[in-house]
Amino acid sequence: MKKQQFHCDNCNTKFNAKPHDLLDNSKFSRPLVNRIIARSQDDISQKSIARALRVSTSSVHRVINSDQTYYYDFQRQLPSILCFDEVRTSAHNMSFVYADGEAHQLIEILPDRLSKNIKEHFLGYSLQNRRQAEYLIIDLNANYGQFVRGLFPNAKIIIDRFHIVQRVAQALTGQRVADQRSIEDKRYSREYAIMKSQWRLFS
């Protein structure tokens, strides 16, 4: 990341612009350092991490051996609409992510999706900051509902419609398969043939 430099004519000094995601004395942003540390926990080489994140192998080595701490900016203002979800960050690990629902921009990726760690993370924001959240868009994960109401007292919880459609489609598919299995003579059954060949109509 390149930094923009400014010059003050009054005191004849130079200083750099400081984006909130850029670490001090570094050209790496907080999300990039977090991703390097998260991937270093998996059984992959530093060279593979560097190739995946498009940085040098020496940079990956320096980040891992200098400070294995996640960097979060709790001074930033949370948006009024927050979107929660889970993503697969490696072959076996799932991570928790949250984004700005208005600007459609990713805010942070947490190294895991444990409720305890998610709660501790959001407690890093002040209560005044968390009260600004008006809507929380989440999936049908029951664990989220146990703690998000206490963390965001003024927010209304909205279930993502994608997950609702997904659950309905799964229920219809399960019922179709159960009906097919209940048919005894499958070779001469017109109902079985229709449900098998036209399965898209039931999904």
Side-chain angles (χ1 to χ4, degrees), residues 1-4 17 19 21-23 26-32:
M1 180 180 292
K2 296 182 178 179
K3 303 178 183 178
Q4 188 176 11
D21 270 338
L22 190 65
L23 298 175
S26 175
K27 292 185 178 180
F28 282 5
S29 64
R30 287 186 179 86
L32 178 58

Side-chain angles (χ1 to χ4, degrees), residues 11 17-18 20 25-26 33 44 46 48 55 70 72 77-78 92-93 98 100 104-105 135 137 152 170 176 190 197:
C11 59
K18 292 185 178 180
H20 70 276
N25 303 321
S26 175
V33 173
I44 56 178
Q46 295 182 10
S48 300
V55 296
Y70 280 82
Y72 301 115
Q77 295 298 310
L78 291 173
H92 304 287
N93 295 334
Y98 62 101
D100 187 337
H104 304 287
Q105 293 181 350
Y135 299 98
I137 302 176
F152 304 93
Q170 291 174 350
R176 176 182 59 82
R190 178 176 174 83
S197 62

Side-chain angles (χ1 to χ4, degrees):
M1 180 180 292
K2 296 182 178 179
K3 303 178 183 178
Q4 188 176 11
Q5 192 176 67
F6 298 93
H7 178 265
C8 180
D9 295 331
N10 295 329
C11 59
N12 197 28
T13 58
K14 295 181 180 179
F15 57 95
N16 294 327
K18 292 185 178 180
H20 70 276
D21 270 338
L22 190 65
L23 298 175
D24 294 335
N25 303 321
S26 175
K27 292 185 178 180
F28 282 5
S29 64
R30 287 186 179 86
L32 178 58
V33 173
N34 291 346
R35 293 181 67 185
I36 292 174
I37 297 175
R39 296 205 175 194
S40 67
Q41 299 174 4
D42 303 325
D43 188 17
I44 56 178
S45 65
Q46 295 182 10
K47 188 174 182 180
S48 300
I49 298 174
R51 188 185 303 112
L53 300 180
R54 297 185 180 182
V55 296
S56 64
T57 306
S58 59
S59 297
V60 174
H61 180 79
R62 185 172 62 254
V63 170
I64 293 175
N65 291 276
S66 61
D67 187 6
Q68 295 192 32
T69 304
Y70 280 82
Y71 294 92
Y72 301 115
D73 182 13
F74 294 114
Q75 301 302 317
R76 79 172 85 196
Q77 295 298 310
L78 291 173
S80 59
I81 302 176
L82 282 169
C83 300
F84 294 173
D85 207 349
E86 301 168 353
V87 295
R88 188 178 299 278
T89 51
S90 64
H92 304 287
N93 295 334
M94 296 291 291
S95 297
F96 174 82
V97 299
Y98 62 101
D100 187 337
E102 292 182 306
H104 304 287
Q105 293 181 350
L106 181 67
I107 299 177
E108 290 290 358
I109 301 178
L110 304 189
D112 54 54
R113 55 175 179 173
L114 296 177
S115 301
K116 175 179 176 294
N117 296 334
I118 297 174
K119 184 177 180 179
E120 290 180 354
H121 172 78
F122 282 112
L123 287 175
Y125 293 99
S126 64
L127 179 59
Q128 182 181 3
N129 196 351
R130 287 184 275 117
R131 282 177 174 172
Q132 296 178 0
E134 299 178 4
Y135 299 98
L136 297 179
I137 302 176
I138 64 175
D139 58 14
L140 293 172
N141 188 337
N143 293 329
Y144 293 163
Q146 296 177 2
F147 61 86
V148 293
R149 294 185 183 277
L151 293 172
F152 304 93
N154 298 330
K156 296 181 180 179
I157 298 178
I158 300 176
I159 303 300
D160 185 5
R161 59 184 180 183
F162 167 78
H163 293 90
I164 296 177
V165 174
Q166 185 182 50
R167 288 293 181 92
V168 172
Q170 291 174 350
L172 290 174
T173 301
Q175 185 61 46
R176 176 182 59 82
V177 172
D179 291 342
Q180 286 183 255
R181 290 176 178 176
S182 64
I183 298 176
E184 296 181 357
D185 192 357
K186 298 180 177 58
R187 292 180 301 173
Y188 302 102
S189 174
R190 178 176 174 83
E191 290 79 5
Y192 180 86
I194 292 175
M195 285 189 289
K196 184 176 182 179
S197 62
Q198 304 297 326
W199 61 268
R200 290 185 178 87
L201 298 177
F202 302 91
S203 302

